[in-house]
């Protein structure tokens, strides 16, 4: 039986029931204080408890999709998703400013597996707080600076930027601890599979606990403005990053993947490259969003529906990558989105949508870590090498 089949759950329920009945029936006969009766009592209790725990575990897994097959469960760290057809690019502390300030928030000190060494050898991860002038929002993010950022011969170079977004309600630390973004990026850069890139790691809900889905909430936090205007402005004012839109991209998993698609399609001159891992394609209306994010404005809701945009609005000049597994719960929705995207791409060459799949895997960091190397390589292939340079000091 498959791991996610109802038959397996029902079988364990039946086993638990039979075990309980067996325990009630046999307990008087096993009441003697001798080794064999005691072993019998322990065996009966163990069978019942394991069956109950199994039912609970399978129910939770089936609800959230952490593992989608026995292979996914029993062989963690399986074959990573590979990007096989791409040509790979060859491969100081931030300036103080009011918009970006160093902070000890975020829990970076708890991460023990970051590459160790000098910044010019392994790069550096900073914890900073960005304050937005357009949205009025403020939040803590991590910024990974590649080794080249600290090498003198690159002192006047500006670097491409990749905004990475966690799922909801995860903190930005999940991108370092769970997804291992800076660790993976450093390894890819070290082996020539990714160009030196500044990576910003943020959570999609800048105003927790509400899930704002990276949209400007009616009468509430302007999360889209934060990501589309405030974050780029703050980074360009503080770090040596590219000012050319083609050198910027956004990547996310789960809710962060949904945000990546939405931010790119709605703001193609800001994030013309996007990768979505296990995304949803519509803005939900549930207890996590605390109701309708658009305050009943149907037009605003449609504008943030990525499928509606593809079907009804002019094609934007963007490149998208959608990553999932063939056993993920949203597989059908992903296929529908990609079918629509392909129709748009056939008619409009300036729009492009690629896809990559693992054969199995669920809604879990185990799966997302397998997909991340290919996602980062694809992003690096699509982030244009910046042509702008830091002005020479007089």
């Amino acid at each position: 039986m498959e791991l996610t089949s109802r038959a397996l759950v029902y079988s364990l329920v039946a086993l638990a029931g039979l075990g309980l009945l067996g325990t009630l029936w046999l307990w008087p006969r096993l009441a003697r204080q001798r080794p064999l009766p005691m072993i019998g009592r322990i065996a009966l209790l163990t069978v019942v408890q394991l069956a109950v725990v199994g039912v609970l575990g399978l129910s939770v897994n089936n609800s959230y999709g952490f593992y989608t097959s026995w292979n996914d469960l029993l062989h963690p760290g399986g074959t990573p998703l590979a990007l096989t057809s791409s040509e790979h690019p060859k491969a100081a502390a931030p300036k103080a400013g009011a918009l970006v300030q160093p902070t000890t928030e975020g829990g970076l000190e708890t991460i023990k597996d970051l590459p160790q060494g000098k910044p010019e050898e392994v790069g550096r991860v900073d914890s900073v707080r960005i304050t937005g002038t357009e949205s009025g929002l403020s939040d803590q993010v991590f910024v990974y600076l590649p080794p080249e950022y600290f090498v003198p011969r690159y002192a006047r170079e500006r670097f491409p930027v990749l905004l990475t977004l966690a799922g909801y309600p995860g903190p930005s630390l999940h991108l370092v601890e769970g997804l291992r973004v800076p660790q993976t990026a450093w390894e890819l850069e070290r082996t020539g599979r990714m160009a030196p890139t500044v990576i910003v790691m943020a959570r999609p809900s800048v105003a927790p606990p509400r899930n704002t889905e990276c949209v400007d909430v009616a009468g509430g936090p302007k999360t889209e403005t934060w990501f589309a205007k405030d974050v780029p402005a703050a980074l360009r004012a503080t770090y040596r990053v590219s000012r050319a839109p083609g050198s910027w991209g956004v990547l996310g998993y789960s809710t962060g993947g949904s945000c990546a698609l939405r931010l790119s399609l709605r703001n193609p001159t800001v994030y013309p490259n996007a990768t979505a891992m296990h995304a949803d394609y519509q803005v939900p209306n549930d207890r996590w969003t605390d109701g309708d994010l658009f305050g009943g404005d149907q037009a605003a809701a449609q504008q943030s529906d990525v499928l509606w945009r593809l079907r009804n609005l002019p094609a934007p000049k963007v490149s998208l990558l959608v990553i999932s597994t063939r056993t993920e719960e949203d597989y059908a929705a992903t296929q529908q989105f990609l079918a629509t995207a392909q129709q748009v791409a056939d008619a409009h060459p300036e729009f492009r949508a690629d896809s990559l799949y693992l054969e199995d895997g669920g809604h879990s960091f185990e799966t997302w870590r397998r997909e991340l190397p290919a996602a980062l390589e694809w992003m690096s292939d699509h982030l244009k090498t910046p042509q702008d340079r830091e002005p020479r000091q007089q």
Side-chain angles (χ1 to χ4, degrees), residues 114-136:
L114 289 173
Q116 299 298 310
K118 299 177 181 178
E120 59 269 26
E121 297 174 350
V122 299
R124 191 178 72 199
V125 179
D126 292 340
S127 177
V128 300
R129 174 165 284 273
I130 295 179
T131 299
T133 58
E134 294 279 343
S135 67

Side-chain angles (χ1 to χ4, degrees), residues 136-156:
L137 297 174
S138 178
D139 203 15
Q140 178 271 335
V141 304
F142 296 114
V143 179
Y144 165 75
L145 303 171
E148 288 80 1
Y149 193 91
F150 305 95
V151 175
R153 72 172 180 271
Y154 293 95
R156 294 181 57 231

Side-chain angles (χ1 to χ4, degrees), residues 225-274:
T225 299
W226 158 262
F227 284 117
K229 295 183 178 180
D230 289 336
V231 170
L235 293 173
R236 286 174 175 137
T238 307
Y239 294 96
R240 296 198 323 273
V241 298
S242 175
R243 302 184 185 279
S247 300
W248 285 64
V250 56
L251 175 153
Y253 66 86
S254 191
T255 299
S258 308
C259 287
L261 291 176
R262 197 170 297 117
L263 286 171
S264 181
L265 290 173
R266 287 178 55 84
N267 304 275
T269 60
V270 181
Y271 299 110
N273 307 288

Side-chain angles (χ1 to χ4, degrees), residues 163-394:
L163 171 66
T164 58
L165 299 173
Y168 174 85
S172 54
L173 189 66
H174 279 182
L175 291 157
V176 183
E177 182 181 38
L179 194 57
R180 303 185 76 250
V181 170
Q183 299 93 319
T184 305
W186 178 75
E187 180 63 25
L188 292 176
E189 292 172 3
R190 186 181 66 83
T191 55
R193 297 159 61 192
M194 181 177 179
T197 304
V198 171
I199 302 178
V200 182
M201 292 158 275
R203 58 180 177 177
S205 289
V206 188
R210 193 176 192 183
N211 178 14
T212 57
E213 288 283 331
C214 300
V215 305
D216 285 352
V217 179
K222 297 183 179 300
T223 316
E224 180 180 5
T225 299
W226 158 262
F227 284 117
K229 295 183 178 180
D230 289 336
V231 170
L235 293 173
R236 286 174 175 137
T238 307
Y239 294 96
R240 296 198 323 273
V241 298
S242 175
R243 302 184 185 279
S247 300
W248 285 64
V250 56
L251 175 153
Y253 66 86
S254 191
T255 299
S258 308
C259 287
L261 291 176
R262 197 170 297 117
L263 286 171
S264 181
L265 290 173
R266 287 178 55 84
N267 304 275
T269 60
V270 181
Y271 299 110
N273 307 288
T275 292
M277 301 161 62
H278 299 240
D280 292 320
Y281 305 96
Q282 292 181 326
V283 176
N285 183 349
D286 55 24
R287 61 173 178 156
W288 308 116
T289 60
D290 195 21
D292 184 2
L293 294 175
F294 306 102
D297 187 338
Q298 185 62 28
Q302 287 180 331
Q303 290 287 330
S304 292
D305 184 323
V306 294
L307 264 175
W308 184 91
R309 295 188 68 88
L310 289 181
R311 291 168 176 167
N312 296 278
L313 298 180
K317 189 176 181 180
V318 297
S319 294
L320 307 178
L321 173 64
V322 175
I323 299 179
S324 192
T325 66
R326 302 189 190 281
T327 53
E328 174 65 282
E329 184 178 358
D330 69 347
Y331 179 69
T334 299
Q335 290 292 92
Q336 182 183 26
F337 175 82
L338 287 170
T340 302
Q342 188 58 54
Q343 293 174 358
V344 175
D346 290 341
H348 303 277
E350 68 275 13
F351 175 86
R352 179 177 176 182
D354 297 326
S355 62
L356 291 172
Y357 287 98
L358 285 174
E359 288 303 317
D360 62 11
H363 214 71
S364 66
F365 283 112
E366 173 63 39
T367 299
W368 297 326
R369 281 194 296 268
R370 292 163 63 192
E371 297 166 344
L372 182 62
L376 290 177
E377 288 185 59
W378 185 94
M379 290 299 305
S380 183
D381 287 346
H382 287 76
L383 296 178
K384 294 181 180 178
T385 303
Q387 301 301 314
D388 47 352
R389 296 168 64 94
E390 188 85 346
R392 186 181 297 277
Q393 300 294 325
Q394 299 296 326

